[in-house]
Amino acid sequence: MHGLLSTMGFLRRSPSTMCRVAFLAIFHPHPTLTYVLDPSTCSSPSYHSLIAEHHGPPTCPLPVDEESAIDTGSWAPWKRRPYCVEPFMQDSDVSGPQFCVYAFEPFRGDKGLSIVTTPVLAATVVNSLDDSVVPQKLRDHPSSSLAVEGRDSPAFAIREVPGKGKGLVAQREIRKWDVVLVDYPAMLAHIDLFDVVGAETRQDLLERALRQLPEKQQGELLSLARAHGVEVGIEIPHLGLFPIASRINHDCRPNVFWRWSVRTLTVEVIAMRDIEIGEVINTPDVPLGLSYEDRKEDLKNWGFSCTCSLCTSSKSEKAASDKRRARLQHIYHELNEGATGKAELTADTIYGLADEMESLVREEGLEAQLLVHYGAVARAYMRVGKLEAARKYVELCEDLWVRYAGEEEDYLAGMHQLRHELREREKKATVRENSESL
């Protein structure tokens, strides 16, 4: 039991884990947020994609807590009556939501799912519990617990990795953008559990959550080394334990990234580059683009020193890498200053900065950061009226948004905003051209 508690407690000290949401580890981490929720409203949105709407507005199940379950004698769809505790609040006049342990089974085949969260958020998850919400292509992936065929031929094998314990190793060639792994959580725990619930009570909740899982799953989770940050309901951070994905090791130059779906409670692990047979599959435990010293400081939260090829390179090589990364940050800042009018940039200057940026990104293996850099280039071109050039970078940005974030509407808001800005600029340009021709 201690293994699970140390896993989830340890990760709470590392805010950078929240980067794993959606196109994980691309951006710097955002601060943990909590929300005041109205139990009378349903916070689970309908699902849209770039192609079409897949579902109408979902039903809104009523929140179930221990008291309501006792009063009604029912706690469906949960397997057991929830067990709840009150949070500890510094101000005695302020009350917070209860935290309850929920169990659902079967989940994603013959598995179980335990959730430690608030009654309202548990209700928003109900629509995601049915296996049918998982897209067919993910259900049929060889690594998915829902796959009927091909489960004996995944792209990876779980093996001992020198100095890192068990990890995932490629057992066939994997091409860039291939889905390496489809995995589903076994446990989810609300991030605020680690702030407003006492240590002893928290331990009891996590132990209860573990015991509610099938015995085989309990053993799998106790052998894991870490948890990962995901979001539930309306983007409330939770820590998640994944039977296979949580075994992926760290590297400052990763070869895969995570794509998490709130709607389907599914994580896809996707190749960022070609991966050869025998390569260890890895993802960063710190944000991409940090300097060596910043990475080393962040990794203290994980309790280890990185031994990847970048961190063990010579002093001069690390200094050169840091210099390139600092220059990338400066270019991004300069482009943003130009986009907002705080700096005067010409089209030629923007072209030069974009070209240098792409060269530095390739050299450092930070292609995932192009997602944000392309947006900055597009806005800088819009500012100087070069809309054809802006459109090129909007389209490049859109392609990366879909690849890294997927097609769920919630994750495409930034992309739609960029396209909207371009359209508004184009409308104004058309009006101006028409008025000048009169």
Side-chain angles (χ1 to χ4, degrees), residues 21-255:
V21 179
F23 26 91
L24 302 114
I26 296 173
F27 304 116
H28 288 270
H30 299 288
T32 299
L33 301 176
T34 56
Y35 297 80
V36 178
L37 302 178
D38 180 357
S40 67
T41 63
C42 185
S43 55
S44 180
S46 57
Y47 171 63
H48 300 266
S49 77
L50 294 178
I51 302 170
E53 181 172 344
H54 287 260
H55 294 275
T59 58
C60 185
L62 291 175
V64 176
D65 59 18
E66 190 170 12
E67 183 178 349
S68 68
I70 293 173
D71 289 344
T72 64
S74 172
W75 44 86
W78 309 109
K79 183 179 180 181
R80 295 180 177 85
R81 190 178 74 194
Y83 171 80
C84 304
V85 299
E86 297 290 337
F88 169 77
M89 307 301 289
Q90 295 289 345
D91 187 342
S92 59
D93 294 330
V94 177
S95 61
Q98 289 182 316
F99 288 98
C100 305
V101 181
Y102 297 89
F104 183 82
E105 193 179 327
F107 176 70
R108 304 301 182 257
D110 59 352
K111 308 293 183 181
L113 173 65
S114 283
I115 309 175
V116 184
T117 192
T118 66
V120 169
L121 282 176
T124 71
V125 170
V126 168
N127 293 299
S128 302
L129 297 175
D130 194 285
D131 292 346
S132 65
V133 302
V134 180
Q136 192 67 44
K137 65 179 181 179
L138 299 185
R139 291 166 56 89
D140 293 341
H141 192 273
S143 63
S144 169
S145 59
L146 293 172
V148 177
E149 300 178 354
R151 291 190 62 184
D152 57 347
S153 59
F156 60 87
I158 298 175
R159 297 176 184 165
E160 286 291 333
V161 178
K164 297 184 177 181
K166 290 186 181 295
L168 274 56
V169 178
Q171 61 179 0
R172 64 169 172 80
E173 290 185 349
I174 301 171
R175 301 279 71 88
K176 184 177 182 179
W177 305 125
D178 282 356
V179 177
V180 179
L181 167 67
V182 173
D183 206 5
Y184 313 100
M187 282 184 63
L188 295 170
H190 197 299
I191 199 74
D192 285 352
L193 181 71
F194 300 88
D195 287 327
V196 297
V197 174
E200 188 173 327
T201 302
R202 180 170 67 243
Q203 177 173 326
D204 178 54
L205 288 175
L206 292 176
E207 287 181 352
R208 287 173 181 268
L210 181 68
R211 290 197 302 268
Q212 290 182 159
L213 293 171
E215 188 173 342
K216 182 180 178 182
Q217 265 187 297
Q218 294 182 36
E220 291 174 346
L221 295 190
L222 288 172
S223 68
L224 296 175
R226 66 191 66 187
H228 296 294
V230 296
E231 292 176 350
V232 169
I234 55 171
E235 301 181 351
I236 304 297
H238 283 61
L239 288 178
L241 284 170
F242 298 80
I244 301 176
S246 291
R247 291 194 180 279
I248 298 176
N249 286 302
H250 161 81
D251 197 289
C252 294
R253 281 179 171 160
N255 51 25

Side-chain angles (χ1 to χ4, degrees), residues 230-307:
V230 296
E231 292 176 350
V232 169
I234 55 171
E235 301 181 351
I236 304 297
H238 283 61
L239 288 178
L241 284 170
F242 298 80
I244 301 176
S246 291
R247 291 194 180 279
I248 298 176
N249 286 302
H250 161 81
D251 197 289
C252 294
R253 281 179 171 160
N255 51 25
V256 298
F257 67 94
W258 287 46
R259 187 160 70 197
W260 166 253
S261 167
V262 175
R263 189 186 70 88
T264 67
L265 301 182
T266 303
V267 67
E268 298 171 73
V269 176
I270 301 168
M272 297 173 68
R273 60 168 176 80
D274 291 348
I275 303 172
E276 302 305 319
I277 296 174
E279 268 196 79
V280 176
I281 294 169
N282 48 61
T283 189
D285 290 338
V286 296
L288 289 179
L290 296 183
S291 68
Y292 170 67
E293 290 297 330
D294 286 342
R295 297 196 306 274
K296 187 167 69 171
E297 185 64 27
D298 269 18
L299 287 172
K300 286 181 181 179
N301 292 317
W302 295 80
F304 71 90
S305 297
C306 182
T307 58

Side-chain angles (χ1 to χ4, degrees), residues 335-395:
L335 288 168
N336 277 330
E337 292 283 284
T340 57
K342 295 179 181 178
E344 293 295 329
L345 300 182
T346 66
D348 287 342
T349 301
I350 297 169
Y351 177 88
L353 290 173
D355 186 62
E356 183 184 3
M357 176 255 311
E358 290 182 318
S359 177
L360 290 169
V361 160
R362 285 192 297 270
E363 197 167 359
E364 282 298 298
L366 298 173
E367 282 82 0
Q369 289 197 322
L370 289 174
L371 178 61
V372 289
H373 288 312
Y374 280 159
V377 175
R379 288 188 169 97
Y381 271 129
M382 287 184 216
R383 183 75 185 188
V384 298
K386 297 296 182 180
L387 300 187
E388 284 296 327
R391 186 178 300 109
K392 169 189 171 182
Y393 282 94
V394 168
E395 290 170 356

